[in-house]
Amino acid sequence: MEASFDSEKLRFPIGKFTIPELISESDTHQWISEIESFSNRIYNLTSTLSIEQLNWNYRPNGWTIKQVVHHCADSHMNSFIRFKLALTEEIPTIKPYEESKWAELIDGLNDDISASLKIIEGVHYRWTLLLKSFNSDDFSRQFIHPESKKVYRLDEATALYAWHCNHHLAHIHQAIYHKGQF
């Protein structure tokens, strides 16, 4: 079955993230809008799915829809905290986490995604409120990611998380489209 699918396309249905060379104010407004609308988009896509559908994978050996939803709650909570650290400390080193291991914990395997959807709603409301208050100096604040040894500016991190929202929505669409085929 795997041979008939492009595994890279299934893994990255909207392509891999790349940091834009130039970031305009229009770009940041667009990314904030994508982050702001994410909670509604993921809710509308998943809230009526059956338990069977929530257990569909988006690719062979990939996460299930429910794991993607729980991951988005985990990931976006972490990101929101990273933004706040960057705003209140001088180039802090953030704490990474083992997302694949988190996805295998009992809360990442739970068939009830309602709590994660509520977390996403609350985090995205507060995150958007924060992002909309930013000026250019705020967007230039930075944090260090110790695994990649990369320093991220908050405008770059905003681009990354807008992509992350769309990346995982595409995974869910893909799982629904393939109807448990993986």
Side-chain angles (χ1 to χ4, degrees):
M1 180 188 301
E2 285 186 51
S4 63
F5 295 100
D6 179 345
S7 63
E8 192 70 4
K9 181 69 175 163
L10 290 174
R11 188 169 180 203
F12 296 101
I14 65 168
K16 291 183 179 179
F17 174 72
T18 56
I19 296 174
E21 287 185 34
L22 297 172
I23 296 175
S24 70
E25 187 175 328
S26 174
D27 292 329
T28 57
H29 286 301
Q30 177 60 39
W31 298 327
I32 292 167
S33 176
E34 290 172 12
I35 290 169
E36 181 175 30
S37 68
F38 179 70
S39 62
N40 286 331
R41 291 184 293 153
I42 197 168
Y43 177 85
N44 290 337
L45 190 55
T46 62
S47 64
T48 62
L49 296 178
S50 69
I51 290 174
E52 177 187 349
Q53 291 169 316
L54 288 172
N55 283 282
W56 288 348
N57 297 76
Y58 72 88
R59 67 180 171 94
N61 303 309
W63 287 341
T64 61
I65 292 173
K66 68 184 179 189
Q67 285 176 299
V68 171
V69 173
H70 296 312
H71 162 72
C72 288
D74 292 340
S75 175
H76 296 185
M77 282 189 289
N78 273 282
S79 183
F80 178 58
I81 290 167
R82 292 170 181 175
F83 272 66
K84 292 183 83 154
L85 289 169
L87 289 169
T88 59
E89 299 176 16
E90 281 308 310
I91 314 178
T93 299
I94 57 95
K95 173 85 173 85
Y97 68 101
E98 296 289 338
E99 63 184 39
S100 61
K101 290 181 180 178
W102 284 33
E104 295 299 326
L105 295 172
I106 193 166
D107 62 317
L109 297 172
N110 189 355
D111 288 335
D112 184 356
I113 62 170
S114 62
S116 287
L117 291 172
K118 289 176 187 173
I119 288 168
I120 291 167
E121 179 183 19
V123 167
H124 279 254
Y125 173 82
R126 291 189 57 198
W127 196 3
T128 300
L129 185 66
L130 187 67
L131 287 167
K132 285 182 174 181
S133 76
F134 279 18
N135 59 40
S136 59
D137 289 339
D138 295 325
F139 277 115
S140 67
R141 302 282 301 185
Q142 301 171 321
F143 63 80
I144 300 167
H145 197 296
E147 287 179 337
S148 65
K149 310 280 190 265
K150 168 134 180 58
V151 177
Y152 285 91
R153 289 189 329 261
L154 292 185
D155 56 359
E156 296 169 336
T158 303
L160 172 62
Y161 278 90
W163 172 87
H164 191 260
C165 292
N166 294 322
H167 170 69
H168 285 304
L169 287 170
H171 283 159
I172 295 168
H173 279 289
Q174 191 169 279
I176 293 168
Y177 176 80
H178 289 288
K179 297 181 180 193
Q181 200 169 3
F182 307 122

